[in-house]
């Protein structure tokens, strides 16, 4: 099974409870639509729509919404919940739409997980009409009070432990450079900060599952996997007892136009 197929299967499994595990998605989806400011009647494409955080925010202000996702489970659930939305299973890097089909292409927390972000951005540019708008949100990895977890991952998986100044992952400047290279203009950026509390260690584990934790632990020898689970629970319980389990969630919103 390819990594893309693995990703699709993970999100198929998460379709029913996606926004319970990722509680900030709906809020940032609304913020992204507010940032893009599409007019009523605008043709909107939501890429990597998931359960529809961006799509339903656009629908609520009278936009004509098409939503795509690589996960069939996500698409099926979105179509059932919002029959007004044209929901389709599709890859972000190979959009099955004619040139100039949309006034706004939006993608919430998608661009950083795509294997070829430049290819996807070129497709977004192609399907936008002249004068159209691109709107993206980018999750910013933070260390904060989760340093114990990064250090644990470094010990068991050899993952680099990021610093607070350079936490790793795609940066907003890197994304803006990609957006500019794809031919967009008038690039603007804004920041979002919101703490995301986790109820217990199990909730933190669930949050990390689609980010590869379960697969990484499963690849360890059985004794090492059990050691990791015990250390993870101990670390999360310590965090819970000392201020609670909370993610220092940050994101950037990106907006750009077309000629």
């Amino acid at each position: 099974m390819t990594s893309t197929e693995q990703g699709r299967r993970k999100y198929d499994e998460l379709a029913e409870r996606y926004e319970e595990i990722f509680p900030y998605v709906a809020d940032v989806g609304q913020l992204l639509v507010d940032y893009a400011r599409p007019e009523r009647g605008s043709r909107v494409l939501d890429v990597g729509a998931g359960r529809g955080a961006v799509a339903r925010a656009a629908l609520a202000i009278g936009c004509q919404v098409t939503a795509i996702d690589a996960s069939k489970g996500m698409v099926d659930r979105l179509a059932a919940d919002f029959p007004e939305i044209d929901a389709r299973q599709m890859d972000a890097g190979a959009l099955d739409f004619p040139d100039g089909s949309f006034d706004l292409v939006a993608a919430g927390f998608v661009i950083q997980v795509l294997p070829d972000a430049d290819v996807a951005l070129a497709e977004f540019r192609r399907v936008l009409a002249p004068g159209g708008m691109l709107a993206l949100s980018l999750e910013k990895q933070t260390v904060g009070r989760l340093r114990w977890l990064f250090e644990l991952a470094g010990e068991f998986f050899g993952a680099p432990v990021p610093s607070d100044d350079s936490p790793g992952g795609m940066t907003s400047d890197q994304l803006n450079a990609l957006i500019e290279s794809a031919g967009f203009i008038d690039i603007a950026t804004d920041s979002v900060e919101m703490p995301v509390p986790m109820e217990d260690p199990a909730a933190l584990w669930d949050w990390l599952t689609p980010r590869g934790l379960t697969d990484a632990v499963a690849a360890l020898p059985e004794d090492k996997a059990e050691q990791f689970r015990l250390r993870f629970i101990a670390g999360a319980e310590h965090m819970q007892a000392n201020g609670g389990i909370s993610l220092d969630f940050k994101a950037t919103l990106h907006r750009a136009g077309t000629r």
Side-chain angles (χ1 to χ4, degrees):
M1 190 163 56
T2 67
S3 59
T4 300
E5 290 167 345
Q6 289 172 337
R8 287 174 179 166
R9 180 168 294 183
K10 285 179 187 176
Y11 284 102
D12 283 345
E13 294 170 351
L14 289 170
E16 293 298 319
R17 56 197 183 102
Y18 180 74
E19 290 187 6
E20 296 174 12
I21 298 173
F22 304 95
Y24 52 81
V25 166
D27 291 338
V28 179
Q30 181 67 62
L31 290 172
L32 186 61
V33 173
D34 292 344
Y35 193 56
R37 300 192 302 270
E39 295 181 358
R40 184 177 183 84
S42 295
R43 300 164 299 167
V44 175
L45 175 64
D46 180 10
V47 179
R51 290 290 298 278
V54 170
R56 62 180 182 260
L59 190 68
I61 58 174
C63 296
Q64 303 173 38
V65 181
T66 300
I68 67 167
D69 200 286
S71 163
K72 184 177 184 301
M74 290 292 190
V75 170
D76 289 347
R77 182 61 187 267
L78 183 60
D81 289 345
F82 301 95
E84 315 97 308
I85 293 173
D86 179 7
R88 311 185 193 184
Q89 185 179 11
M90 195 179 299
D91 287 334
L95 300 178
D96 189 17
F97 301 109
D99 295 0
S101 295
F102 300 98
D103 304 303
L104 169 64
V105 173
F109 301 137
V110 172
I111 198 72
Q112 70 266 31
V113 301
L114 297 177
D116 299 297
D118 57 336
V119 174
L121 285 167
E123 279 289 86
F124 299 170
R125 176 68 184 84
R126 179 184 66 79
V127 301
L128 274 169
M133 176 76 69
L134 173 72
L136 308 173
S137 59
L138 176 69
E139 185 173 347
K140 295 178 68 176
Q141 185 181 19
T142 58
V143 179
R145 293 176 60 237
L146 283 176
R147 175 161 296 283
W148 65 269
L149 180 56
F150 285 97
E151 291 175 350
L152 187 64
E155 178 182 341
F156 278 80
F157 309 119
V161 179
S163 68
D164 291 309
D165 295 330
S166 302
M170 182 183 289
T171 68
S172 59
D173 287 344
Q174 289 170 340
L175 177 53
N176 283 341
L178 287 172
I179 292 171
E180 185 176 18
S181 295
F184 290 94
I185 60 173
D186 300 329
I187 302 168
T189 307
D190 199 3
S191 298
V192 175
E193 293 188 20
M194 57 183 74
V196 180
M198 294 283 159
E199 184 177 355
D200 53 29
L204 179 60
W205 185 280
D206 280 347
W207 185 80
L208 291 165
T209 292
R211 289 165 168 76
L213 177 66
T214 302
D215 290 342
V217 173
L220 293 172
E222 187 173 347
D223 59 333
K224 289 286 187 181
E226 182 61 19
Q227 289 177 34
F228 180 88
R229 292 187 188 96
L230 292 174
R231 295 270 300 279
F232 176 92
I233 292 170
E237 287 178 342
H238 178 79
M239 187 178 185
Q240 187 172 24
N242 291 271
I245 302 173
S246 181
L247 309 174
D248 297 326
F249 173 73
K250 297 180 181 180
T252 50
L253 308 179
H254 300 254
R255 185 178 65 207
T258 60
R259 293 182 175 86

